[in-house]
Amino acid sequence: MKKLFGVLGNPIGHSMSPVMHNDLFSFYNIDAHYLPFQVKEEDLQAAVKGLKAIGVGGFNITVPHKSDIIPFLDEVDELAASIGAVNTVVNEGGRLVGYNTDGPGFLKGLQGYFPTLVGKRILVIGAGGAARAIYYTLAKEKPCKVDIANRTIATASKLSEDCPYSISSRILSLKEAEENVGEYDLIIQTTMIGMSPKIDEQPLQLNNVNKQALVCDIIYNPLETKFLQAAIIKGATIQNGIEMFVFQGALAFEKWTGFFPDVQRMRDNVLKQLGGKTC
Ligand code: ATR
């Protein structure tokens, strides 16, 4: 019988996950289908219960439900619980188990550039949900430090204090981070600043960035934010948000099917979907 997968969000029309996962199911001859489900906040519990009742194979959760879904699941794994957000649910013998593949997806996307993060000096810009997933995941990789720069210092302090993994971390204002930006091997922009349509904004200047640094932006529309363009001008290497998106999807697919898919195929698929949509 065909297995059902999907993504729950509100809105959900923009999601590239259905096309990406359906392409994989058909490529690997898996009898499954992945659908977008627009679910209002007040209907989330009923939606999860319904999906469980009909024997869903698994599903993704996106904005605004990543935290609110937790009480409606049978189990949540340790990393997702510490982050306080689930983006992937797997039906494990009738029990819905929640995972977070956003942080691990970001980490896996780095591996072509940094085989290890041991000893690296890292700056995370922003302290929202995406920053939390990335920070908690990177904290387990034994970097030298992971500093956080944010407009609101208290939010960044809370993120760092809540982290269950021991890690050296300074909390910086955006101005302080701008002044010290040269000391980092890896800089990760996690806010929505620079996302279409406000493409002329960037959270901080990169005048002093180290040429050896990898500068990442989790935004993929536009493919090159103003922040990434500034990094290129300074001679640094860049990575856009396609990698995190593709690898979080690949890790979800692996949890559902048991094997890790062809990420180059996924990347091509996403770029094709973005064709004509960026900016
Ligand atoms: P998500 O959960 O998608 O990561 P979020 O929780 O809305 O998004 O977090 C947005 C992040 O972008 C926060 O770090 C926010 O800073 P504050 O903690 O000060 O709110 C940051 N952010 C959003 N708009 C900003 C702006 N105009 N200038 C600076 N930081 C901004």
Side-chain angles (χ1 to χ4, degrees):
M1 200 170 60
K2 197 180 273 298
K3 273 264 172 223
L4 176 69
F5 293 86
V7 54
L8 274 57
N10 189 21
I12 199 63
H14 65 284
S15 174
M16 293 189 289
S17 295
V19 173
M20 183 172 79
H21 284 291
N22 284 326
D23 172 69
L24 291 177
F25 288 144
S26 108
F27 183 66
Y28 292 113
N29 281 318
I30 296 170
D31 190 17
H33 196 65
Y34 185 111
L35 287 170
F37 296 108
Q38 179 158 357
V39 178
K40 291 192 216 121
E41 279 84 335
E42 62 269 30
D43 295 333
L44 182 61
Q45 182 170 16
V48 173
K49 211 170 161 191
L51 286 168
K52 185 176 175 178
I54 61 173
V56 70
F59 51 95
N60 289 125
I61 322 291
T62 188
V63 179
H65 303 315
K66 286 185 180 187
S67 299
D68 293 343
I69 193 162
I70 288 179
F72 309 138
L73 299 174
D74 296 306
E75 190 184 329
V76 173
D77 95 321
E78 187 197 322
L79 179 68
S82 70
I83 294 167
V86 162
N87 80 320
T88 300
V89 173
V90 184
N91 186 341
E92 298 182 6
R95 302 183 76 245
L96 296 183
V97 183
Y99 298 91
N100 190 306
T101 69
D102 286 328
F106 178 79
L107 177 65
K108 223 167 163 56
L110 287 180
Q111 279 172 355
Y113 194 83
F114 288 127
T116 172
L117 292 178
V118 173
K120 298 292 178 214
R121 293 153 302 174
I122 304 174
L123 175 67
V124 172
I125 302 169
R132 186 169 278 257
I134 290 171
Y135 180 91
Y136 289 15
T137 306
L138 299 186
K140 291 180 23 169
E141 298 301 306
K142 302 193 175 17
C144 168
K145 62 172 178 175
V146 186
D147 293 345
I148 310 173
N150 198 41
R151 176 179 60 181
T152 310
I153 294 294
T155 315
S157 300
K158 171 100 176 71
L159 189 161
S160 174
E161 281 158 19
D162 289 349
C163 182
Y165 314 108
S166 143
I167 175 75
S168 162
S169 186
R170 276 187 308 160
I171 308 301
L172 307 170
S173 67
L174 295 172
K175 194 81 206 148
E176 285 167 331
E178 191 171 288
E179 284 158 11
N180 296 306
V181 82
E183 68 182 69
Y184 299 101
D185 306 301
L186 171 60
I187 298 168
I188 308 150
Q189 197 304 104
T190 72
T191 77
M192 293 301 115
I193 301 170
M195 189 161 81
S196 178
K198 291 184 168 178
I199 59 169
D200 287 332
E201 298 176 5
Q202 66 185 90
L204 52 89
Q205 302 298 319
L206 289 171
N207 296 334
N208 304 322
V209 73
N210 185 337
K211 273 190 186 164
Q212 311 302 322
L214 176 66
V215 178
C216 302
D217 200 320
I218 68 162
I219 292 172
Y220 49 75
N221 185 9
L223 292 171
E224 262 176 26
T225 55
K226 192 163 182 229
F227 187 68
L228 291 185
Q229 286 169 357
I232 293 170
I233 290 168
K234 290 292 166 185
T237 305
I238 62 153
Q239 185 176 93
N240 65 26
I242 298 278
E243 293 305 287
M244 180 175 173
F245 179 72
V246 161
F247 277 99
Q248 65 74 32
L251 289 171
F253 186 88
E254 184 183 38
K255 287 190 183 300
W256 296 328
T257 65
F259 67 96
F260 195 78
D262 177 347
V263 283
Q264 188 53 46
R265 184 177 180 89
M266 297 172 78
R267 214 179 265 127
D268 291 346
N269 186 301
V270 169
L271 283 169
K272 201 160 108 194
Q273 289 193 63
L274 281 170
K277 265 206 228 169
T278 50
C279 293

